[in-house]
Amino acid sequence: MPPTQDLIPSPKPALALAPPARKRSFEHVGTNDLWAIVQAGRWFRGLPPELAAHMQHMAQPRLLSPGEWLFRRGDAPCGIYAVARGSLSISGTAALQENTRTALLTLIEAPSWLGEIALFDGAPRTHDACANTACALLQIPIAPLREWLDATPQHWQPMALLLTHKLRASLIALEEQTVLPAAQRIMCRLVQMAMGNEQWADRSRTHRELAVSQEQLARMLGLSRQTTNQILQELQLAGWLQLRRGKLEVLDLPALKAAAQTGRTSANDRTGC
């Protein structure tokens, strides 16, 4: 996803690290249960059987506590990952004189994949990936996967499609962030998240509860917290959304989707910001 327009000060390092004694929520979940979720994804469902079977054979479960890093910018690539439970935040940091600032790019949920850029170029990680909630992932090591793909080059194309899907989504998001007013940008992003960013093979599958706070939504879209809250309050007043502590609940996705196309923020045909 494209960078936000505004750089937001980073949280203190102490808040970014999970407490050592905190238990992970998915320790009881088996690998087969994780694969059942990943296999319901649109990209994985379309893989050639030989490639899908090889990836499943190589994969190992990876559990993260809230606030635990999956990788940091500059780290050497060690795998590609499928998110099966929970969500990850993808962000970038920059040192500006004496201040360190961060831009929240996106939140990644099941059944999305990440880390595939390094599969092609072998370069260090470009951004930070941190557990937004407790997470259960499947990790496939890059070195043996690349070796197998080189030996069976016909399977590189599906891996390239994983990359192009994200590039297409990034270009659309960049256009929206450049030309759409704030209210319409918020509604478009909420619709995308509710529809699982179109990652499910079953296109009718949607999320009612979105694990995103108002602050996170504002940071992803380069908006102020005040502007974001005002627009969300209007959407709640229209009956399309319910604001909850640390998350948002979509009450009427068809109405929200229609409003995202027109920019309306209420049922009374008011124009968005």
Side-chain angles (χ1 to χ4, degrees):
M1 302 293 290
T4 57
Q5 293 178 349
D6 300 326
L7 291 176
I8 309 297
S10 299
K12 296 180 180 180
L15 297 180
L17 300 177
R22 187 165 188 169
K23 294 183 178 180
R24 294 168 177 168
S25 301
F26 302 123
E27 291 179 343
H28 63 285
V29 179
T31 303
N32 290 338
D33 296 324
L34 301 182
W35 270 112
I37 297 172
V38 172
Q39 289 168 339
R42 180 164 59 96
W43 177 75
F44 193 87
R45 182 73 63 87
L47 291 182
E50 184 183 9
L51 175 57
H54 190 77
M55 293 179 68
Q56 188 166 352
H57 174 74
M58 296 177 63
Q60 295 294 327
R62 177 85 178 269
L63 304 180
L64 299 177
S65 298
E68 188 174 353
W69 298 104
L70 177 62
F71 53 76
R72 304 295 303 272
R73 170 178 282 173
D75 285 352
C78 59
I80 66 171
Y81 307 90
V83 180
R85 299 284 185 91
S87 67
L88 290 167
S89 65
I90 306 300
S91 61
T93 57
L96 303 177
Q97 296 181 350
E98 297 180 355
N99 298 321
T100 300
R101 295 172 178 257
T102 184
L104 178 62
L105 304 183
T106 190
L107 297 178
I108 297 183
E109 298 181 295
S112 297
W113 290 76
L114 71 154
E116 72 282 351
I117 294 178
L119 178 65
F120 287 88
D121 62 16
R125 299 298 188 187
T126 59
H127 294 88
D128 302 326
C130 182
N132 181 51
T133 66
C135 287
L137 307 98
L138 291 165
Q139 177 179 354
I140 301 176
I142 279 185
L145 176 58
R146 184 187 291 121
E147 182 179 351
W148 186 83
L149 289 170
D150 286 341
T152 55
Q154 68 271 21
H155 293 307
W156 271 108
Q157 183 182 21
M159 307 307 299
L161 288 177
L162 179 61
L163 196 61
T164 57
H165 289 163
K166 291 187 180 179
L167 176 59
R168 184 183 297 273
S170 296
L171 292 174
I172 292 173
L174 178 61
E175 178 184 359
E176 291 176 349
Q177 188 145 324
T178 302
V179 303
L180 294 184
Q184 205 166 358
R185 283 154 58 190
I186 286 177
M187 290 186 290
C188 286
R189 182 60 63 95
L190 293 176
V191 169
Q192 291 169 5
M193 295 181 68
M195 297 179 67
N197 293 305
E198 299 187 347
Q199 293 298 309
W200 297 105
D202 179 2
R203 300 298 183 89
S204 66
R205 184 168 181 170
T206 59
H207 296 294
R208 181 180 175 90
E209 289 190 351
L210 307 180
V212 59
S213 67
Q214 295 185 45
E215 180 181 358
Q216 289 174 322
L217 186 62
R219 292 172 61 196
M220 282 192 289
L221 296 174
L223 301 172
S224 69
R225 172 69 182 272
Q226 181 179 4
T227 297
T228 302
N229 178 261
Q230 178 182 349
I231 294 170
L232 292 176
Q233 292 287 349
E234 292 181 1
L235 299 180
Q236 180 172 252
L237 186 62
W240 304 333
L241 197 70
Q242 179 67 50
L243 306 183
R244 303 196 181 280
R245 184 178 180 85
K247 61 183 178 182
L248 305 173
E249 183 178 0
V250 177
L251 302 179
D252 192 338
L253 180 57
L256 185 63
K257 188 175 181 180
Q261 296 174 346
T262 63
R264 293 183 300 113
T265 56
S266 78
N268 297 323
D269 292 332
R270 288 186 294 161
T271 301
C273 302

